[in-house]
Amino acid sequence: MFQILTLALLISLLVTSVNGDEKPRGVAYDGRSLIVNGNRELFFSGSIHYTRSPPEMWPEIIRKAKEGGINLIQTYVFWNIHEPVQGQYNFEGNFDIVKFIKEIAEQGLYVTLRIGPYIEAEWSSGGFPYWLREVKNITFRSYNEPFVYHMKKYSEMVIDLMKKEKLFAPQGGPIILAQIENEYNNVQAAYKENGKKYIEWAANMAVGLYNGVPWIMCKQKEAPPTVINTCNGRHCADTFTGPNGPNKPSLWTENWTAQYRTFGDPPSQRSAEDLAFSVARFFAKNGTLTNYYMYHGGTNFGRSSSSFVTTRYYDEAPLDEFGLMRDPKWSHLRDLHRALRLSRRALLWGTPTVQKINQDLEITVYENTAEHMCAAFLTNNHTTQPSNITFRGAAYYLPEKSVSILADCKTVVYNTQTVVSQHNSRNFVPSEKAKNLKWEMYQEKVPTISELALKNREPLELYSLTKDKSDYAWYSTSINLNRHDLPMRSDILTVLQVASMGHALAAFVNGQYVGFGHGNNIDKSFVFRQPVVLKPGVNDITLLGELVGYPNSGAYMEKRFAGPRAVTLQGLMAGTLDITLNVWGHEVGVSGEKEQVFTEEGAKKVKWTPVTGTPPGPVTWYKTYFDAPEGTDPVALKMDQMQKGMLWVNGKSLGRYWVSFLSPLGQPTQSEYHVPRAFLKPNNNLLVVFEETGGHPAKIEIVTVNRDTICSMITEYHPPNVKNFESSGSKFCPVVEDLKAGAHLTCPDDNVIEKVEFASYGDPDGACGNFTMGTCTSQNSIKVAEKYCLGKHTCTIPIERVTFDEPNKDPCPNIFKTLAVQVKCVVPNKN
């Protein structure tokens, strides 16, 4: 035990360096916190992945994160994009991680580098390149000689690149933490003794390659002493058993801001209040770092997402897919970060005490009386009942499931359940410049076995056939039947049955489309059954096997399989005919991919015809041209009337779309698809759609995206905004004379408030974009809101009864009042 503790202490010392001025530069840690460049700090971190937004968006996304109180950016390093071919590296354009990290540093933030190399991340193969799967005798994520050889080689390449660019903290760079492996506890038991040996090897390998910053392992309860084990989840204050060593701080590497979506899922939501409650609880229990996964999710461009994961990623994050601030999530967390920073000195240097009032109520105090530091957390864990609590002679009201933060042990500067910041609602606005699209089409030829060069007795496995070069592969066979083989009755047809290991397929008989089948994220395998018309003579049976990403989690990922495995014809006069071993022809990809018809040059290689009337249906390419939409708002495609396929703009892949896969709510999981403005030219942008199963492009709509509908919903008992307080040394004080709650509204960018769309002072209900009147409201509500807000970029409406009604004219004087306001922001008229 002594040796283990000594080694942990040694690591904490090794990661600190001293420059010529005797000022420490680097990162150390102890059981309380990280210590960066000699200073203890609270860290509010956000996951932002460089691969999921174009470089042109990075500065703005990072700026908004910083405005939201984020001081640390967390990102994975994606092996399969950096080494798609063994020994050939790519760090250009969207994959320029060095540029991304330098942009973070330029804006004064730190970085956590999650090297992996297994990352999960709802990313194809969990980040592993396809070629790794074909290394002889390899077993992923195990103490397996081929795997550890390639893992170390890759990790060393990444670390050497960071050192070369001087990006680690001891070199003056922003990287203060590094992560090796990812949630290995989930699979460790499957590998038995090799699992334990592997995780110890991984920790020692990482520290041996670079010991200038601390290394972490998330969800690794028995992490080796040289690394810090961290928590992932929604409520780590209650689920995390704590670090497995007294000299390791409590760090939360993934606080899920909602949940990623797979095609067929209903929407995922997590309230700002629940997020804030979980963070406040964690910091009350000795936590000093939380990371929001994701803070900005972005877009899974191309074929980068893992099995069945949508192209839109973590859209419910504080910054949505388009990089717009999702309020109140963004702003309520910003206020939480400020409240915790007001309590910083007490949290980092005070002594904690906990008083349990009852099963639901508790008081946590961090205090250092000698230095006049004190901060308190008043917690109500009851999920439905508010409560009153007495602390140091004063009474405090606690809403249900909430934490109040008292930055000086007296003044409530923040409550997790009472949102004083604004809300907003997202709008998709049809573009006036990019409408009346003229579509042309080109239909793929459905091949027969004689046209496919690669032959095999049975259908080949789909992953190893495509080798991650395409989502598609053709399978075709032929069967010669005579009229006595076919059903004699006209009302009976033969049934084609295909048992598939996933993910989807389109079936054709004699060149005619007969149907589409698919699995889902829970059960990739499925059985396709469809009646078909066969004829005497040769019948061609052709399948388009389709993938929707590679797996990204679980043990033995290198041993996953997809594609058709058994094919039968049922209902023939001789019974069921198994044609699985009938000899099949194969071809990877569709011809439009090979010709790159989604580019200007490739589009010239095929003959396009105008779309008139009903389109021909499956395996059809569509193209059109459009001008960049007006303004500077983000751009998207609404794909409501399409079904399943892929999208390109000016040769750049926007990813997969799948509108026909409805959730249990009867709605597509995703209908709008992001078109980054960085992909666009002012005029004549080429839009190409590959539709796999059918759909009409005439209904595709190009829209701009905004959050110009902003709202506030605030009560009389809400605390003042935390921005009204500041602390300096041991002094804590308000920065305004009149500490009253108010409805604060600020338009995005430089926009101004054009219209008050809703206002009610009384007992309104609903949410931004969908407010409703209650049983009582002041008749002056709209008038008061217009007085304070019209024509302004920002405004505050006071929550005072006399502002809305004279004392003897209050329509409901005996209730607690709520003010709900919704306004519309517009670009100001500069004339």
Side-chain angles (χ1 to χ4, degrees), residues 102 160-169 171-174:
K102 287 183 176 180
D160 285 348
L161 177 62
M162 299 299 115
K163 289 195 292 187
K164 175 187 172 185
E165 298 291 339
K166 295 182 172 22
L167 295 178
F168 285 110
Q171 301 173 293

Side-chain angles (χ1 to χ4, degrees), residues 456-459 567 578-584:
N456 195 64
R457 188 178 181 191
E458 60 187 326
V567 186
D578 189 339
I579 59 174
T580 307
L581 304 179
N582 199 51
V583 179
W584 290 77

Side-chain angles (χ1 to χ4, degrees), residues 79-106:
W79 189 356
N80 55 5
I81 62 166
H82 292 308
E83 194 180 3
V85 177
Q86 188 174 0
Q88 298 180 20
Y89 301 106
N90 181 6
F91 288 92
E92 303 297 321
N94 217 63
F95 307 152
D96 191 346
I97 186 173
V98 170
K99 180 178 179 179
F100 179 69
I101 293 174
K102 287 183 176 180
E103 178 62 38
I104 295 170
E106 182 71 21

Side-chain angles (χ1 to χ4, degrees), residues 216-228:
I216 60 175
M217 283 183 171
C218 63
K219 292 183 77 170
Q220 191 62 37
K221 291 182 181 178
E222 298 304 320
T226 53
V227 299
I228 304 169

Side-chain angles (χ1 to χ4, degrees), residues 515-830:
F516 172 71
H518 64 86
N520 57 58
N521 185 52
I522 303 299
D523 189 359
K524 276 77 173 175
S525 62
F526 63 96
V527 177
F528 171 86
R529 303 184 75 197
Q530 195 69 27
V532 298
V533 176
L534 300 176
K535 64 182 180 180
V538 175
N539 290 268
D540 293 305
I541 296 172
T542 302
L543 309 174
L544 180 64
E546 304 176 11
L547 293 172
V548 193
Y550 276 61
N552 76 313
S553 62
Y556 301 105
M557 285 171 52
E558 72 283 357
K559 295 178 174 62
R560 308 294 178 82
F561 307 103
R565 61 176 178 82
V567 186
T568 58
L569 293 172
Q570 301 174 340
L572 296 172
M573 293 303 291
T576 296
L577 179 63
D578 189 339
I579 59 174
T580 307
L581 304 179
N582 199 51
V583 179
W584 290 77
H586 305 78
E587 186 172 84
V588 176
V590 292
S591 65
E593 282 184 298
K594 297 167 187 173
E595 300 293 349
Q596 295 191 330
V597 300
F598 44 83
T599 66
E600 289 287 358
E601 287 302 313
K604 297 173 184 175
K605 298 177 182 179
V606 300
K607 184 178 180 180
W608 300 84
T609 58
V611 176
T612 57
T614 303
V619 291
T620 301
W621 295 84
Y622 299 99
K623 78 176 176 77
T624 189
Y625 288 89
F626 67 97
D627 293 339
E630 58 278 8
T632 59
D633 286 339
V635 179
L637 298 173
K638 283 184 70 71
M639 302 291 290
D640 291 345
Q641 299 300 313
M642 300 302 284
Q643 295 193 27
K644 180 180 183 294
M646 299 193 76
L647 295 162
W648 292 263
V649 167
N650 294 329
K652 296 181 182 294
S653 176
L654 304 180
R656 305 178 180 102
Y657 70 88
W658 197 348
V659 184
S660 60
F661 196 166
L662 303 182
S663 78
L665 304 178
Q667 298 293 324
T669 306
Q670 181 177 351
S671 296
E672 303 88 16
Y673 292 80
H674 184 202
V675 184
R677 282 201 178 261
F679 290 5
L680 299 180
K681 305 177 294 184
N683 306 104
N684 296 319
N685 294 283
L686 173 63
L687 169 60
V688 176
V689 180
F690 179 55
E691 172 58 54
E692 299 167 16
T693 65
H696 204 308
K699 299 293 185 179
I700 294 176
E701 195 171 30
I702 298 173
V703 298
T704 58
V705 191
N706 68 58
R707 288 186 176 272
D708 290 342
T709 300
I710 61 173
C711 310
S712 180
M713 191 171 188
I714 194 164
T715 68
E716 291 177 304
Y717 59 80
H718 273 52
N721 195 298
V722 66
K723 70 181 181 181
N724 294 332
F725 302 93
E726 66 179 21
S727 63
S728 178
S730 61
K731 295 181 179 179
F732 171 85
C733 60
V735 294
V736 294
E737 292 184 7
D738 191 7
L739 284 176
K740 291 183 179 178
H744 304 282
L745 299 169
T746 301
C747 289
D749 304 319
D750 295 323
N751 294 358
V752 297
I753 296 170
E754 177 193 53
K755 182 182 180 182
V756 176
E757 297 179 327
F758 180 93
S760 174
Y761 183 61
D763 60 350
D765 201 359
C768 191
N770 194 31
F771 284 130
T772 58
M773 292 286 188
T775 59
C776 175
T777 187
S778 168
Q779 298 303 310
N780 298 316
S781 299
I782 291 278
K783 186 187 301 182
V784 170
E786 289 177 340
K787 171 187 173 183
Y788 281 92
C789 295
L790 279 187
K792 297 179 180 178
H793 170 66
T794 184
C795 68
T796 298
I797 306 171
I799 307 298
E800 296 178 316
R801 298 195 176 206
V802 294
T803 302
F804 291 87
D805 298 292
E806 297 177 20
N808 59 347
K809 294 184 179 180
D810 188 333
C812 36
N814 298 319
I815 66 169
F816 279 113
K817 298 289 186 72
T818 296
L819 172 62
V821 183
Q822 177 174 311
V823 302
K824 178 67 175 176
C825 298
V826 297
V827 177
N829 189 341
K830 296 182 180 180

Side-chain angles (χ1 to χ4, degrees), residues 283 289 301 743:
F283 278 75
L289 182 155
F301 298 113

Side-chain angles (χ1 to χ4, degrees), residues 472-514:
Y472 310 111
W474 289 109
Y475 296 79
S476 188
T477 192
S478 63
I479 185 76
N480 197 336
L481 302 171
N482 64 48
R483 65 183 182 87
H484 299 294
D485 295 320
L486 302 173
M488 304 298 289
R489 289 170 46 181
S490 60
D491 62 333
I492 296 178
L493 294 175
T494 303
V495 172
L496 171 66
Q497 176 173 297
V498 183
S500 174
M501 296 178 287
H503 297 154
L505 66 82
F508 303 81
V509 173
N510 297 324
Q512 298 300 307
Y513 176 66
V514 296

